[in-house]
Amino acid sequence: MSDDKHVERRAALRAGYRDLAAAIPTQMKGFGDLHRSSVADGALSRATKELMSLAIGISTRCEDCVTLHLYDALQAGATDEEVHETIGVALMMGGGPASTAATGALETLAEYRRA
């Protein structure tokens, strides 16, 4: 992968979801509906919900979750400062093991801002 590894990884993950949708359309439609309804604006904004997803991705050390949800948080209008605070909360909840994913999240943020 190039220096844009998270941009490339996001594209690969999206392609994988398309492949899954072709193989198991009913299940992926259900998952897609769940995802869209879960992050839709409501009492909490879409950006807040994506930041929550980012924090969970960091605390569970899911690099792919960080790649996807950080992008979506930025698209929903999250600021760098909000991402930084989210990383801090994730670190508090996930402890030392989450610190490696936190560094990856910061790297991903920088990459998306360059792209």
Side-chain angles (χ1 to χ4, degrees):
M1 285 192 196
S2 73
D3 287 340
D4 293 330
K5 70 179 185 176
H6 300 286
V7 171
E8 291 176 13
R9 181 64 185 148
R10 181 178 175 278
L13 289 165
R14 302 280 298 156
Y17 280 137
R18 285 190 295 277
D19 292 344
L20 277 173
I24 51 170
T26 303
Q27 293 86 347
M28 288 305 289
K29 181 187 180 317
F31 181 75
D33 290 346
L34 174 64
H35 180 267
R36 282 184 295 281
S37 67
S38 295
V39 298
D41 282 322
L44 297 173
S45 70
R46 180 174 154 240
T48 297
K49 292 175 181 182
E50 289 295 350
L51 290 169
M52 292 169 67
S53 298
L54 173 62
I56 292 166
I58 293 169
S59 66
T60 61
R61 299 177 304 280
C62 176
E63 185 176 342
D64 290 340
C65 298
V66 169
T67 296
L68 294 169
H69 290 290
L70 180 49
Y71 180 88
D72 290 344
L74 295 174
Q75 292 301 302
T79 66
D80 290 7
E81 293 79 14
E82 290 170 327
V83 171
H84 294 162
E85 288 189 18
T86 298
I87 292 170
V89 170
L91 218 88
M92 184 253 321
M93 294 301 293
S99 66
T100 57
T103 62
L106 204 56
E107 176 185 300
T108 305
L109 174 61
E111 184 179 318
Y112 284 149
R113 289 300 189 204
R114 283 192 308 272

